Amino acid sequence: MKHAKRLVLTTTAAATAAAGLLLGTTAGNAAATEPAVTAVKAPTAPAAPAALAVPDGNKLTGVFPARGVQTYTCTDGAWKLLEPAATLSDKRGRTVALHSRGPVWVSTVDGSAVNASAIANSPKTGTIPELLLQATATRGTGTFAGVTYIQRLNTTGGVAPTTACTGTDQVSVPYTATYAFYKPAK
């Protein structure tokens, strides 16, 4: 039975690949005579509190879910944020950027980067606050080139411990968020 299923799956995969090759050749010939029109779907903005609204004159250019940790260090007997560390993914779950201390977001696809500073927050019970950040610097010509604002939305987890700390203890608390990136509207 296992061999029969494997044979059916292999045959189906081979037929699909052959059909794709045939269609690709046909489409390639058609493209030579007629230009192809490809629609690019604009990202959908996640819901955001009014306090985190991006100023007019900016347009949404990317929305990425993130998973990572908020690392806290003990300073004078209290937990203080040291740094975030997260990966941002595309719709297929592939890592497209890394987020770390700065805060900074660096594209793993094209090397572009954006640094930012929080300018507004919206507290949420039991999780880190949602934020509006304004870019302070960008590098490169790719995904993050020209980014003006970033929203951190849909946050879960990441809250500093409420327990006392001593010395130079550190703790990393898992969190998730959605990051929305904006550039000037042209």
Side-chain angles (χ1 to χ4, degrees):
M1 182 67 174
K2 286 183 183 178
H3 295 294
K5 276 186 179 180
R6 189 175 302 154
L7 181 59
V8 169
L9 291 173
T10 303
T11 304
T12 303
T16 302
L21 181 59
L22 178 60
L23 290 174
T25 303
T26 305
N29 291 339
T33 57
E34 293 181 32
V37 177
T38 305
V40 177
K41 186 177 178 185
T44 304
L52 305 183
V54 173
D56 290 340
N58 294 281
K59 69 176 181 174
L60 181 67
T61 59
V63 177
F64 305 103
R67 179 173 302 281
V69 295
Q70 296 282 321
T71 299
Y72 298 91
T73 188
C74 186
T75 305
D76 298 327
W79 292 109
K80 303 282 185 194
L81 180 64
L82 175 63
E83 63 186 351
T87 57
L88 283 65
S89 304
D90 65 10
K91 291 180 182 177
R92 294 182 181 166
R94 297 176 298 197
T95 298
V96 295
L98 301 175
H99 171 45
S100 60
R101 187 186 317 199
V104 63
W105 293 260
V106 178
S107 169
T108 58
V109 176
D110 58 39
S112 62
V114 57
N115 288 67
S117 179
I119 59 171
N121 73 66
S122 181
K124 286 179 67 178
T125 303
T127 184
I128 55 176
E130 295 180 321
L131 300 174
L132 175 62
L133 302 106
Q134 186 170 21
T136 57
T138 62
R139 294 181 299 285
T141 59
T143 304
F144 297 130
V147 165
T148 50
Y149 291 93
I150 304 163
Q151 291 172 314
R152 179 176 78 186
L153 304 168
N154 305 324
T155 56
T156 63
V159 177
T162 56
T163 57
C165 62
T166 58
T168 58
D169 292 347
Q170 287 187 356
V171 63
S172 294
V173 183
Y175 88 103
T176 62
T178 300
Y179 288 96
F181 296 85
Y182 293 80
K183 294 181 182 180
K186 294 182 182 175

